[in-house]
């Protein structure tokens, strides 16, 4: 695979900051950013306030801890001609021997198959994000259509170790078919999932957590609002909230 930027092992006392860039569309099983670093208290990658305009695999792929904040991700969708197990995800988080945590904060996701995929013992803190739209379907390795989701816990194949879980708070979900894909699959233990003080459509609120937890995702936490988000001008990709948006409450 290739990447626009590939980086490994931030030296002690160093830093990796990728900020205020615009990344063009990258095709095939390649990524805009492919980063392998450690976990806190060692220095970790910071991906801030960038624009990612398209990918057929991952826009940002990170092994280890990371701060991913203030970015815009759009048009991350698997090529229907590529019948491989890999999925397309705006952000892919993985861990090796040490558990990893990605802080995903104040990002906007538009027309992506998945916002975040995680595997191994990687966990995600997902706060103050806007998921404007998730693609309704994408092709799996057999060419069958699978529903898109905000989070996918087995990004390569069902036997891949799943991500540890996700804490979701103060986020807005617009045109989204489901919140989680491949959650709670054996032999991995059930994911630790929290959803609080976020806005969901009535359709999304009725979706189950997983096949083994067939209850509403709204049971995962308190303070959630079921309503339309009232974006300012979605036809022109303006996903700011109108003054009377229930998400502002």
């Amino acid at each position: 695979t290739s990447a626009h930027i590939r980086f490994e092992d931030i030296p002690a006392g160093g830093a990796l900051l990728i900020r205020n860039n615009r990344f063009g569309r990258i095709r095939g099983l390649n990524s805009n950013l492919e980063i392998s670093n450690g976990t806190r208290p060692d220095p970790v990658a910071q991906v801030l306030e960038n624009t990612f305009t398209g990918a057929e695999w991952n826009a940002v792929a990170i092994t280890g801890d990371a701060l991913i904040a203030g970015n815009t991700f759009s048009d991350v969708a698997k090529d229907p001609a590529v019948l491989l197990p890999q999925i397309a995800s705006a952000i892919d988080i993985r861990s090796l021997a040490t558990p990893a945590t990605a802080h995903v904060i104040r990002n906007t996701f538009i027309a992506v198959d998945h916002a975040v995929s995680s595997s191994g013992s990687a966990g995600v803190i997902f706060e103050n994000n806007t998921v404007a739209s998730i693609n309704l379907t994408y092709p799996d390795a057999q060419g069958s259509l699978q529903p898109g989701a905000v989070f996918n816990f087995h990004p390569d194949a069902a036997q891949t170790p799943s991500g540890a879980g996700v804490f979701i708070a103060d986020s807005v979900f617009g045109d989204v078919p489901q919140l989680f894909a491949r959650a709670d699959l054996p032999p991995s233990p059930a994911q630790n999932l929290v959803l609080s003080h976020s806005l969901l459509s009535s359709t999304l609120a009725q979706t189950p957590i997983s096949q083994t937890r067939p209850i509403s995702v709204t049971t995962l936490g308190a303070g959630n609002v079921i309503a339309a988000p009232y974006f300012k001008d979605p036809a022109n990709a303006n996903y700011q909230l109108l003054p009377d948006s229930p998400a502002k409450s």
Side-chain angles (χ1 to χ4, degrees), residues 187-221:
S188 301
Q191 271 79 29
N192 183 12
L193 306 175
V194 176
L195 170 67
S196 70
H197 298 90
S198 294
L199 183 141
L200 302 81
S201 70
S202 58
T203 301
L204 182 60
Q206 295 174 22
T207 59
I209 299 169
S210 67
Q211 290 184 349
T212 57
R213 281 192 275 179
I215 53 177
S216 167
V217 293
T218 58
T219 62
L220 293 171

Side-chain angles (χ1 to χ4, degrees), residues 65-92:
D65 285 359
L67 171 62
I68 304 170
N71 305 281
T72 298
F73 299 90
S74 61
D75 194 21
V76 179
K78 185 178 179 180
D79 182 349
V82 179
L83 299 181
L84 293 173
Q86 286 82 359
I87 66 169
S89 183
I91 300 169
D92 181 70

